[in-house]
Amino acid sequence: PHPPALLRDVGRVLGEMDAALQSFSHPAMRRDLKWDLAGASWAQEHLGYLPDPQRRALVERLMALYEAEAAPRLPDLRASVIYNDGNDYNILVGGDARDPRVVGVFDFGDMTYSQTVGEAAIAAAYAMLDKPDPLAAAAHVVAGYHAAFPLTEAELAVLYPLIVARLCVSVVNSAYCRAVDPANGHMMINEAPAWALLERLAAASPTFAHFTFRDACGLPPSPT
């Protein structure tokens, strides 16, 4: 179960990690990585691996939001080494059922130097899977992250397009892996819930999502 307090705790732990990583650098972190949201555009070059034309059109439309609203702004945002993989297969939870808490994370293989806000976007994207109110689930993660490591208003403005981009990258990568390595089931574990979420988000308002995240961080929902 993912109660709100646990989702906020996920954000808190990742925010604390990013705060600690602000002083960390290593040459190996400067690398090309398909999970780096700063380079999410690669997914558009692989849309041909999606056999369903309707789904292909859906990803193309949602990636257009990333290209218009996030990609041009990324160079002006904070960058640092980030964990980059806050999904529920990598997060350890302890305590009892009434008060679960994040006690650790593992699998640091996707760490990279990228825009710091990508950390919150990735965790929020996975928190939204299989939720009756995906945006509310994401807002809890964002609130926890912001409490530990405050997001800027500019970062909050690109958060939703980055979340959508991560989901698009995930489904395109699953299709690609199925084509080149069909025995690798690990790369397909989130495919079905990711598609279901993308289809719901296709009817969502990016502006409302932006305002929701601002509100979760204690800011006036509308910047104007």
Side-chain angles (χ1 to χ4, degrees), residues 29-223:
M29 295 292 96
R30 306 278 185 147
R31 57 181 179 145
D32 291 328
L33 183 71
K34 66 183 176 182
W35 299 113
D36 180 1
L37 283 175
S41 297
W42 74 264
Q44 297 196 91
E45 301 168 8
H46 292 74
L47 291 179
Y49 288 95
L50 299 173
D52 186 324
Q54 290 185 320
R55 284 185 163 180
R56 191 161 58 245
L58 172 63
V59 170
E60 193 170 21
R61 179 157 62 88
L62 291 174
M63 281 300 296
L65 176 67
Y66 165 84
E67 296 291 352
E69 301 296 332
R73 302 179 182 180
L74 293 181
D76 297 325
L77 302 181
R78 293 182 298 179
S80 62
V81 174
I82 58 174
Y83 170 59
N84 203 45
D85 205 10
N87 72 75
D88 49 353
Y89 285 88
N90 294 342
I91 296 172
L92 299 172
V93 175
D96 58 42
R98 293 170 299 178
D99 188 29
R101 288 285 182 268
V102 176
V103 297
V105 299
F106 60 93
D107 186 358
F108 290 81
D110 286 349
M111 285 185 74
T112 192
Y113 182 87
S114 185
Q115 276 64 37
T116 311
V117 65
E119 190 85 272
I122 290 165
Y126 286 105
M128 295 168 84
L129 298 176
D130 294 321
K131 297 295 191 302
D133 188 346
L135 197 56
H140 289 307
V141 174
V142 172
Y145 185 96
H146 182 76
F149 190 57
L151 293 157
T152 67
E153 293 192 56
E155 288 169 336
L156 287 168
V158 302
L159 188 53
Y160 182 73
L162 290 176
I163 289 172
V164 169
R166 175 65 179 213
L167 294 166
C168 288
V169 165
S170 179
V171 296
V172 170
N173 185 66
S174 293
Y176 172 76
C177 289
R178 180 178 291 104
V180 301
D181 186 13
N184 186 359
H186 173 71
M187 302 309 298
M188 279 73 100
I189 52 178
N190 284 314
E191 186 177 19
W195 275 119
L197 179 55
L198 283 171
E199 288 163 3
R200 291 183 66 180
L201 295 182
S205 164
T207 302
F208 183 73
H210 177 203
F211 291 0
T212 298
F213 295 149
R214 286 177 58 90
D215 183 64
C217 295
L219 297 170
S222 171

